[in-house]
Amino acid sequence: MKKTLALLLLFTSVTTYGQSTYIGKITDEKNVPLPYANVVSLSLPDSAFVVGTTTDLQGNFKLEQVTEGQLIRISSIGYVTVYKNTSELNEPNIQMSPDVQALQEVVVEGTHPVVFMKGNALVTDVQNSLLSKAGSASDVLARIPRVSKSKDKFVVFGKGTPLIYINGRLVRDNTELEQLNSTDIKHVELLTTPGAQYDASVKSVIRIKTVKRQGDGFSFDVRSSYYQSENTDLIEQANVNYRHAGLDLFGSFDYRLNRTEQISSVEQETNTSSLWQQHNTMQMNGQTQKMSGTFGFNYQINDNHSFGARYQMLGYPSSYVNTDILSKVEKNNDFYDQWSSNGIENRDYSLGHQLNLYYTGTAGKLGIDVNADYYKSDYDATNNTSEQSQEQDDRQIAAFNQVKNKMCAGKVVFTYPIWKGQLSFGGEYTYSNRDNNYLSRNESYVPSSCSNISENYIGGFTSYDVQLPFGMLSAGIRYEHVDFEYSEDQQKIDAQSKNFDNVFPTLSFATQFGQVQAQLSYAATIQRPSYADLSNNVFYINRFTLQQGNPYLLPSITHDISLNAMWKYFQFMLSYQQKKDEIFTWSTQTEANPELSTISYINFDRMPTLNAFIGASPTIGFWSPMYGVGVSKQWVNVHTDLADLELKKPALNVMLNNTFTLPKNFLINLDFTFQGKGNYQNIYMMKNMYILNLAISKSFFNDAFNVELRGNDLFHQQKDASRVYMNRLTAYQANCYDSREFAITVRYRFNTAQSKYKGSGAGERTKARF
């Protein structure tokens, strides 16, 4: 059914020295504000651009330096562009017709687009779309263009794992996304060139803005989920909030029981003085119980000043992984040995603690944002492996690993308006420390070690965003200094202790040509190795394979040039990346024992990569599809002692998400994901993977109560296979997961009010490296 949309444009005029400033607000016929509409002034008779602006999230705008005799152009994707002379702006109502296109027998109605660009961000409107019925914030992000979800982790195509913020507050645990209902989300912004104000390791950022909830009093929401596959998983959550005047008191509790199963076939070929071939069948199962409690307060003194504190306690009542492996080994194609191996790892966690303090405010035109963070986590891991050999000696391997992590961080950011833009500047300091004591009870097989990593990080940045007549320009530069100290047995190792000084520039320009929005950007980013990758602990896999970190690893630097564009409901991205010192998995052998391989990590010199993505997000009646196709191609030449390999086969990714809204508050989600064969680093992904998910939900009592039935991986095709090429060693692994599951989720909300907490956190990327 075609809808007629009316656009109400209210103008007030202030005349100064022959020029006028027009202030207005743009809404549709339902009085819903239209954000990001373009309002520009053109000179006559040549229609040259004079000045322009866009409406804010409330539909308001301010157009300055307008003179009589000019032409005003008002445009918004999904509407027919309207032109008015300045003399006609006294009309209180300006009618705009929807831009309607007929697709065969289906009518695609011109409405405010679900996805659009705003400056350097790709914005998805949740409040005014079917995404508001998706369930939780986690369900919403899984349907954002270029964003994919695997279990509780999110990946932005071509840009890696994003930082996620809710109303400016950093999400430290993705389980927080399950606690936020989709009906409370206003919009989501995806930044693929975040800018110099973020840590240089940040390649993408997701910012969630919630709907403002009015009124004081008590509110809560609860969620319970039951998952049934080969195992049973549980999620139980409760959030409470009390608001009075400027004070917010909030708390939450989260319990998760997660059981996993995996069956794998592993083929390993090592070519040294002899040809060794391993044929392994592996079965693995594990369980993790996780409990977290959060409480805090936020006090808003007035519109210009607020402060608060947030404390989270994290515990793991149980965590173990059990692995059974049956191995057959051949030497030069003749039988050598066969053994069965059972390994179990138990982790005993101490309570983890996270504390954030923040203040945000203004002093005149100067904006101030201050954050301080403290983090502490400890665990003890016990590893026991029993290996029963047919031809050789039996082995009992036992090791005890004690890990202690601690971090303190502080960050301050200032903003100040200059000319037609905004200047941002600030700095961050992080101290982190990791003690890793590894005690082996079989020194002849794996050695003991005692290591310490301490790191002092100092970062400073400045950036400037300005709206020019022809588009928005953003430029920034960030400096980072890292003092990295590595010790073994309380003795500093100079060869592995280093200082790093890096400068990371960013540059972005966004503009619009008619209905085409485009952004061209450049950014330099860094990936620092995790502390586990830097560990010198040696883990026993079997009598021919060990695993170890590499304390000599260097950070990886990426230079990225990206083009993002939108036309109507189509999105496009093209990104070329030049990666230096990329971290690869690698193997080494010794002359004394060439049949024994140690799997570790190395820095690979250069890895050029090209990523391309095209997506579409129209609204067709009761159907809201969100489709995307991405291709990633690398150019990697790997040199080994045996051969030179060219690894450059592109990999295809397809995302087909469909949302259907039905009468009586029923909602259906049908999502399909395809991951194709291709190369990544020194790995060849050998199997196409298909995943089909179906969810049906119904809301009751004006959306206060919601029930969802879900089936994940209905055809049980979330299976992968890969081959990794290393020095003198090639390994093939095929995995089958316990991924087909059926779930029921029940949510109830009462007087829902989102906390006004604004702490953005500090040192988050360092914490992730623990």
Side-chain angles (χ1 to χ4, degrees), residues 223-255:
R223 175 241 178 130
S224 179
S225 293
Y226 173 87
Y227 299 85
Q228 185 61 58
S229 55
E230 296 295 330
N231 299 292
T232 300
D233 299 333
L234 300 172
I235 298 178
E236 308 293 338
Q237 295 173 330
N239 308 299
V240 295
N241 195 96
Y242 176 76
R243 177 173 299 165
H244 179 71
L247 177 65
D248 264 290
L249 300 175
F250 58 87
S252 66
F253 172 79
D254 184 280
Y255 170 79

mmCIF file of all heavy atoms in Angstrom, residues 223-255:
data_model
loop_
_atom_site.group_PDB
_atom_site.id
_atom_site.type_symbol
_atom_site.label_atom_id
_atom_site.label_comp_id
_atom_site.label_asym_id
_atom_site.label_seq_id
_atom_site.Cartn_x
_atom_site.Cartn_y
_atom_site.Cartn_z
ATOM 1 N N ARG A 223 15.601 -11.958 31.731
ATOM 2 C CA ARG A 223 15.661 -12.794 30.534
ATOM 3 C C ARG A 223 16.105 -14.189 30.952
ATOM 4 O O ARG A 223 17.015 -14.364 31.765
ATOM 5 C CB ARG A 223 16.651 -12.209 29.528
ATOM 6 C CG ARG A 223 16.863 -13.081 28.283
ATOM 7 C CD ARG A 223 18.311 -13.530 28.168
ATOM 8 N NE ARG A 223 18.513 -14.405 27.019
ATOM 9 C CZ ARG A 223 19.459 -14.259 26.113
ATOM 10 N NH1 ARG A 223 20.292 -13.263 26.204
ATOM 11 N NH2 ARG A 223 19.593 -15.136 25.125
ATOM 12 N N SER A 224 15.467 -15.200 30.388
ATOM 13 C CA SER A 224 15.837 -16.586 30.631
ATOM 14 C C SER A 224 15.864 -17.306 29.296
ATOM 15 O O SER A 224 14.908 -17.235 28.520
ATOM 16 C CB SER A 224 14.835 -17.252 31.580
ATOM 17 O OG SER A 224 15.184 -18.614 31.793
ATOM 18 N N SER A 225 16.970 -18.021 29.025
ATOM 19 C CA SER A 225 17.122 -18.744 27.763
ATOM 20 C C SER A 225 17.551 -20.181 28.044
ATOM 21 O O SER A 225 18.402 -20.436 28.897
ATOM 22 C CB SER A 225 18.166 -18.069 26.864
ATOM 23 O OG SER A 225 17.724 -16.813 26.422
ATOM 24 N N TYR A 226 16.950 -21.092 27.287
ATOM 25 C CA TYR A 226 17.272 -22.513 27.388
ATOM 26 C C TYR A 226 17.665 -22.992 25.998
ATOM 27 O O TYR A 226 16.916 -22.820 25.026
ATOM 28 C CB TYR A 226 16.066 -23.283 27.902
ATOM 29 C CG TYR A 226 16.234 -24.788 27.900
ATOM 30 C CD1 TYR A 226 16.801 -25.439 28.985
ATOM 31 C CD2 TYR A 226 15.812 -25.550 26.809
ATOM 32 C CE1 TYR A 226 16.956 -26.825 28.989
ATOM 33 C CE2 TYR A 226 15.960 -26.931 26.799
ATOM 34 C CZ TYR A 226 16.529 -27.562 27.887
ATOM 35 O OH TYR A 226 16.687 -28.917 27.880
ATOM 36 N N TYR A 227 18.861 -23.584 25.863
ATOM 37 C CA TYR A 227 19.376 -24.067 24.586
ATOM 38 C C TYR A 227 19.558 -25.582 24.668
ATOM 39 O O TYR A 227 20.154 -26.085 25.629
ATOM 40 C CB TYR A 227 20.727 -23.424 24.266
ATOM 41 C CG TYR A 227 20.705 -21.924 24.136
ATOM 42 C CD1 TYR A 227 20.817 -21.121 25.265
ATOM 43 C CD2 TYR A 227 20.577 -21.308 22.902
ATOM 44 C CE1 TYR A 227 20.803 -19.738 25.164
ATOM 45 C CE2 TYR A 227 20.562 -19.936 22.785
ATOM 46 C CZ TYR A 227 20.669 -19.151 23.922
ATOM 47 O OH TYR A 227 20.652 -17.784 23.806
ATOM 48 N N GLN A 228 19.040 -26.291 23.662
ATOM 49 C CA GLN A 228 19.183 -27.739 23.646
ATOM 50 C C GLN A 228 19.831 -28.181 22.336
ATOM 51 O O GLN A 228 19.305 -27.965 21.255
ATOM 52 C CB GLN A 228 17.820 -28.420 23.792
ATOM 53 C CG GLN A 228 17.901 -29.934 23.898
ATOM 54 C CD GLN A 228 18.693 -30.387 25.118
ATOM 55 O OE1 GLN A 228 18.355 -30.036 26.252
ATOM 56 N NE2 GLN A 228 19.766 -31.134 24.904
ATOM 57 N N SER A 229 20.997 -28.789 22.457
ATOM 58 C CA SER A 229 21.676 -29.424 21.331
ATOM 59 C C SER A 229 22.025 -30.825 21.810
ATOM 60 O O SER A 229 21.198 -31.504 22.403
ATOM 61 C CB SER A 229 22.918 -28.626 20.918
ATOM 62 O OG SER A 229 23.780 -28.451 22.034
ATOM 63 N N GLU A 230 23.240 -31.288 21.563
ATOM 64 C CA GLU A 230 23.683 -32.511 22.229
ATOM 65 C C GLU A 230 23.829 -32.271 23.725
ATOM 66 O O GLU A 230 23.803 -33.201 24.527
ATOM 67 C CB GLU A 230 25.017 -32.971 21.636
ATOM 68 C CG GLU A 230 24.947 -33.363 20.177
ATOM 69 C CD GLU A 230 24.080 -34.580 19.924
ATOM 70 O OE1 GLU A 230 23.998 -35.434 20.843
ATOM 71 O OE2 GLU A 230 23.491 -34.692 18.837
ATOM 72 N N ASN A 231 23.996 -30.984 24.077
ATOM 73 C CA ASN A 231 24.113 -30.571 25.470
ATOM 74 C C ASN A 231 23.038 -29.538 25.773
ATOM 75 O O ASN A 231 22.312 -29.087 24.900
ATOM 76 C CB ASN A 231 25.500 -29.966 25.742
ATOM 77 C CG ASN A 231 26.612 -30.961 25.495
ATOM 78 O OD1 ASN A 231 26.750 -31.929 26.224
ATOM 79 N ND2 ASN A 231 27.404 -30.733 24.442
ATOM 80 N N THR A 232 22.982 -29.153 27.035
ATOM 81 C CA THR A 232 22.051 -28.110 27.479
ATOM 82 C C THR A 232 22.841 -26.894 27.935
ATOM 83 O O THR A 232 23.772 -27.010 28.742
ATOM 84 C CB THR A 232 21.170 -28.616 28.633
ATOM 85 O OG1 THR A 232 20.413 -29.741 28.187
ATOM 86 C CG2 THR A 232 20.231 -27.526 29.105
ATOM 87 N N ASP A 233 22.492 -25.715 27.387
ATOM 88 C CA ASP A 233 23.095 -24.453 27.794
ATOM 89 C C ASP A 233 22.012 -23.567 28.397
ATOM 90 O O ASP A 233 20.833 -23.654 28.031
ATOM 91 C CB ASP A 233 23.738 -23.744 26.604
ATOM 92 C CG ASP A 233 24.855 -24.560 25.974
ATOM 93 O OD1 ASP A 233 25.470 -25.360 26.699
ATOM 94 O OD2 ASP A 233 25.098 -24.412 24.765
ATOM 95 N N LEU A 234 22.439 -22.676 29.298
ATOM 96 C CA LEU A 234 21.497 -21.793 29.989
ATOM 97 C C LEU A 234 22.035 -20.369 30.032
ATOM 98 O O LEU A 234 23.252 -20.165 30.140
ATOM 99 C CB LEU A 234 21.248 -22.279 31.421
ATOM 100 C CG LEU A 234 20.665 -23.682 31.621
ATOM 101 C CD1 LEU A 234 20.680 -24.046 33.095
ATOM 102 C CD2 LEU A 234 19.254 -23.764 31.059
ATOM 103 N N ILE A 235 21.136 -19.405 29.976
ATOM 104 C CA ILE A 235 21.459 -18.003 30.226
ATOM 105 C C ILE A 235 20.361 -17.429 31.113
ATOM 106 O O ILE A 235 19.179 -17.518 30.775
ATOM 107 C CB ILE A 235 21.559 -17.182 28.926
ATOM 108 C CG1 ILE A 235 22.688 -17.699 28.036
ATOM 109 C CG2 ILE A 235 21.771 -15.705 29.250
ATOM 110 C CD1 ILE A 235 22.804 -16.949 26.715
ATOM 111 N N GLU A 236 20.766 -16.845 32.235
ATOM 112 C CA GLU A 236 19.822 -16.193 33.140
ATOM 113 C C GLU A 236 20.338 -14.779 33.424
ATOM 114 O O GLU A 236 21.505 -14.619 33.800
ATOM 115 C CB GLU A 236 19.689 -16.965 34.460
ATOM 116 C CG GLU A 236 19.385 -18.447 34.309
ATOM 117 C CD GLU A 236 18.020 -18.713 33.727
ATOM 118 O OE1 GLU A 236 17.147 -17.818 33.822
ATOM 119 O OE2 GLU A 236 17.813 -19.803 33.170
ATOM 120 N N GLN A 237 19.458 -13.788 33.243
ATOM 121 C CA GLN A 237 19.879 -12.400 33.416
ATOM 122 C C GLN A 237 18.807 -11.608 34.151
ATOM 123 O O GLN A 237 17.611 -11.874 34.012
ATOM 124 C CB GLN A 237 20.123 -11.728 32.059
ATOM 125 C CG GLN A 237 21.272 -12.303 31.272
ATOM 126 C CD GLN A 237 21.353 -11.705 29.878
ATOM 127 O OE1 GLN A 237 20.352 -11.320 29.304
ATOM 128 N NE2 GLN A 237 22.558 -11.642 29.331
ATOM 129 N N ALA A 238 19.269 -10.611 34.909
ATOM 130 C CA ALA A 238 18.357 -9.687 35.570
ATOM 131 C C ALA A 238 19.043 -8.325 35.661
ATOM 132 O O ALA A 238 20.218 -8.237 36.028
ATOM 133 C CB ALA A 238 17.978 -10.185 36.956
ATOM 134 N N ASN A 239 18.305 -7.271 35.305
ATOM 135 C CA ASN A 239 18.820 -5.901 35.373
ATOM 136 C C ASN A 239 17.827 -5.053 36.158
ATOM 137 O O ASN A 239 16.607 -5.153 35.947
ATOM 138 C CB ASN A 239 18.983 -5.297 33.972
ATOM 139 C CG ASN A 239 19.784 -6.177 33.051
ATOM 140 O OD1 ASN A 239 20.935 -6.461 33.317
ATOM 141 N ND2 ASN A 239 19.165 -6.632 31.967
ATOM 142 N N VAL A 240 18.356 -4.224 37.043
ATOM 143 C CA VAL A 240 17.497 -3.327 37.814
ATOM 144 C C VAL A 240 18.060 -1.917 37.728
ATOM 145 O O VAL A 240 19.272 -1.716 37.550
ATOM 146 C CB VAL A 240 17.389 -3.756 39.295
ATOM 147 C CG1 VAL A 240 16.693 -5.105 39.410
ATOM 148 C CG2 VAL A 240 18.767 -3.802 39.948
ATOM 149 N N ASN A 241 17.159 -0.932 37.845
ATOM 150 C CA ASN A 241 17.565 0.465 37.782
ATOM 151 C C ASN A 241 16.611 1.283 38.649
ATOM 152 O O ASN A 241 15.394 1.074 38.626
ATOM 153 C CB ASN A 241 17.519 0.979 36.338
ATOM 154 C CG ASN A 241 18.261 2.295 36.153
ATOM 155 O OD1 ASN A 241 19.413 2.312 35.759
ATOM 156 N ND2 ASN A 241 17.598 3.401 36.436
ATOM 157 N N TYR A 242 17.190 2.188 39.431
ATOM 158 C CA TYR A 242 16.370 3.131 40.201
ATOM 159 C C TYR A 242 16.841 4.541 39.884
ATOM 160 O O TYR A 242 18.030 4.843 39.967
ATOM 161 C CB TYR A 242 16.487 2.882 41.706
ATOM 162 C CG TYR A 242 15.720 3.903 42.517
ATOM 163 C CD1 TYR A 242 14.335 3.835 42.624
ATOM 164 C CD2 TYR A 242 16.392 4.956 43.137
ATOM 165 C CE1 TYR A 242 13.626 4.787 43.351
ATOM 166 C CE2 TYR A 242 15.687 5.914 43.870
ATOM 167 C CZ TYR A 242 14.304 5.835 43.966
ATOM 168 O OH TYR A 242 13.609 6.776 44.666
ATOM 169 N N ARG A 243 15.874 5.372 39.514
ATOM 170 C CA ARG A 243 16.213 6.745 39.125
ATOM 171 C C ARG A 243 15.397 7.722 39.951
ATOM 172 O O ARG A 243 14.183 7.582 40.106
ATOM 173 C CB ARG A 243 15.912 6.953 37.638
ATOM 174 C CG ARG A 243 16.162 8.383 37.146
ATOM 175 C CD ARG A 243 15.998 8.463 35.643
ATOM 176 N NE ARG A 243 16.962 7.594 34.985
ATOM 177 C CZ ARG A 243 16.865 7.231 33.712
ATOM 178 N NH1 ARG A 243 15.851 7.632 32.977
ATOM 179 N NH2 ARG A 243 17.792 6.451 33.177
ATOM 180 N N HIS A 244 16.096 8.725 40.470
ATOM 181 C CA HIS A 244 15.431 9.819 41.183
ATOM 182 C C HIS A 244 16.199 11.097 40.901
ATOM 183 O O HIS A 244 17.395 11.208 41.222
ATOM 184 C CB HIS A 244 15.372 9.566 42.678
ATOM 185 C CG HIS A 244 14.720 10.686 43.448
ATOM 186 N ND1 HIS A 244 13.360 10.933 43.388
ATOM 187 C CD2 HIS A 244 15.243 11.652 44.257
ATOM 188 C CE1 HIS A 244 13.070 11.982 44.134
ATOM 189 N NE2 HIS A 244 14.195 12.435 44.672
ATOM 190 N N ALA A 245 15.504 12.049 40.282
ATOM 191 C CA ALA A 245 16.130 13.311 39.888
ATOM 192 C C ALA A 245 17.370 13.006 39.048
ATOM 193 O O ALA A 245 17.287 12.339 38.035
ATOM 194 C CB ALA A 245 16.444 14.156 41.125
ATOM 195 N N GLY A 246 18.544 13.436 39.471
ATOM 196 C CA GLY A 246 19.753 13.216 38.687
ATOM 197 C C GLY A 246 20.507 11.957 39.052
ATOM 198 O O GLY A 246 21.574 11.680 38.488
ATOM 199 N N LEU A 247 19.984 11.159 39.986
ATOM 200 C CA LEU A 247 20.700 9.978 40.468
ATOM 201 C C LEU A 247 20.168 8.711 39.807
ATOM 202 O O LEU A 247 18.959 8.491 39.754
ATOM 203 C CB LEU A 247 20.557 9.857 41.983
ATOM 204 C CG LEU A 247 21.188 8.626 42.636
ATOM 205 C CD1 LEU A 247 22.710 8.655 42.478
ATOM 206 C CD2 LEU A 247 20.794 8.520 44.104
ATOM 207 N N ASP A 248 21.092 7.890 39.333
ATOM 208 C CA ASP A 248 20.778 6.569 38.816
ATOM 209 C C ASP A 248 21.535 5.539 39.642
ATOM 210 O O ASP A 248 22.752 5.630 39.792
ATOM 211 C CB ASP A 248 21.229 6.434 37.355
ATOM 212 C CG ASP A 248 20.102 6.717 36.380
ATOM 213 O OD1 ASP A 248 19.188 5.904 36.305
ATOM 214 O OD2 ASP A 248 20.158 7.758 35.707
ATOM 215 N N LEU A 249 20.828 4.542 40.161
ATOM 216 C CA LEU A 249 21.446 3.383 40.780
ATOM 217 C C LEU A 249 21.092 2.171 39.919
ATOM 218 O O LEU A 249 19.920 1.969 39.582
ATOM 219 C CB LEU A 249 20.929 3.185 42.207
ATOM 220 C CG LEU A 249 21.179 4.326 43.192
ATOM 221 C CD1 LEU A 249 20.510 4.024 44.526
ATOM 222 C CD2 LEU A 249 22.675 4.570 43.381
ATOM 223 N N PHE A 250 22.090 1.384 39.546
ATOM 224 C CA PHE A 250 21.823 0.272 38.646
ATOM 225 C C PHE A 250 22.621 -0.955 39.065
ATOM 226 O O PHE A 250 23.654 -0.867 39.732
ATOM 227 C CB PHE A 250 22.157 0.641 37.198
ATOM 228 C CG PHE A 250 23.584 1.064 36.971
ATOM 229 C CD1 PHE A 250 24.576 0.140 36.699
ATOM 230 C CD2 PHE A 250 23.944 2.412 37.034
ATOM 231 C CE1 PHE A 250 25.882 0.519 36.493
ATOM 232 C CE2 PHE A 250 25.250 2.811 36.832
ATOM 233 C CZ PHE A 250 26.230 1.862 36.552
ATOM 234 N N GLY A 251 22.119 -2.106 38.656
ATOM 235 C CA GLY A 251 22.791 -3.367 38.936
ATOM 236 C C GLY A 251 22.314 -4.436 37.982
ATOM 237 O O GLY A 251 21.247 -4.335 37.371
ATOM 238 N N SER A 252 23.101 -5.487 37.840
ATOM 239 C CA SER A 252 22.725 -6.592 36.963
ATOM 240 C C SER A 252 23.390 -7.877 37.464
ATOM 241 O O SER A 252 24.426 -7.839 38.132
ATOM 242 C CB SER A 252 23.125 -6.323 35.513
ATOM 243 O OG SER A 252 24.531 -6.283 35.372
ATOM 244 N N PHE A 253 22.769 -8.994 37.102
ATOM 245 C CA PHE A 253 23.327 -10.311 37.405
ATOM 246 C C PHE A 253 23.200 -11.166 36.163
ATOM 247 O O PHE A 253 22.182 -11.145 35.470
ATOM 248 C CB PHE A 253 22.593 -10.971 38.565
ATOM 249 C CG PHE A 253 23.009 -12.405 38.800
ATOM 250 C CD1 PHE A 253 24.189 -12.686 39.462
ATOM 251 C CD2 PHE A 253 22.243 -13.462 38.328
ATOM 252 C CE1 PHE A 253 24.595 -13.997 39.664
ATOM 253 C CE2 PHE A 253 22.632 -14.771 38.524
ATOM 254 C CZ PHE A 253 23.814 -15.038 39.197
ATOM 255 N N ASP A 254 24.260 -11.944 35.861
ATOM 256 C CA ASP A 254 24.274 -12.769 34.659
ATOM 257 C C ASP A 254 24.876 -14.131 35.009
ATOM 258 O O ASP A 254 25.951 -14.206 35.606
ATOM 259 C CB ASP A 254 25.102 -12.083 33.566
ATOM 260 C CG ASP A 254 25.082 -12.847 32.257
ATOM 261 O OD1 ASP A 254 25.833 -13.828 32.124
ATOM 262 O OD2 ASP A 254 24.321 -12.456 31.368
ATOM 263 N N TYR A 255 24.162 -15.188 34.632
ATOM 264 C CA TYR A 255 24.663 -16.556 34.821
ATOM 265 C C TYR A 255 24.602 -17.279 33.489
ATOM 266 O O TYR A 255 23.592 -17.215 32.784
ATOM 267 C CB TYR A 255 23.838 -17.321 35.849
ATOM 268 C CG TYR A 255 24.169 -18.807 35.888
ATOM 269 C CD1 TYR A 255 25.300 -19.265 36.559
ATOM 270 C CD2 TYR A 255 23.369 -19.729 35.222
ATOM 271 C CE1 TYR A 255 25.617 -20.615 36.575
ATOM 272 C CE2 TYR A 255 23.681 -21.085 35.242
ATOM 273 C CZ TYR A 255 24.810 -21.521 35.914
ATOM 274 O OH TYR A 255 25.133 -22.848 35.921
#
